[in-house]
Amino acid sequence: MPFKGNADRRHHIPAQQRRVKNWAEYDAGLRARGSLTV
């Protein structure tokens, strides 16, 4: 099946580029996206 060729790389979550400095703004952004896991 040709669509399975990149299956291992398709759903990769990239590593964070820089450290979070403003946690309140970061959390608000996650809530706006609807993905907040505690």
Side-chain angles (χ1 to χ4, degrees), residues 2-38:
F3 62 88
K4 291 188 176 181
N6 290 329
D8 56 338
R9 295 184 292 274
R10 184 173 295 134
H11 298 295
H12 174 70
I13 298 173
Q16 199 169 359
Q17 294 296 321
R18 57 185 76 96
R19 293 188 67 83
V20 177
K21 292 184 178 145
N22 189 348
W23 281 101
E25 185 177 324
Y26 179 73
D27 287 342
L30 288 179
R31 278 193 212 95
R33 278 196 331 209
S35 62
L36 184 65
T37 308
V38 179

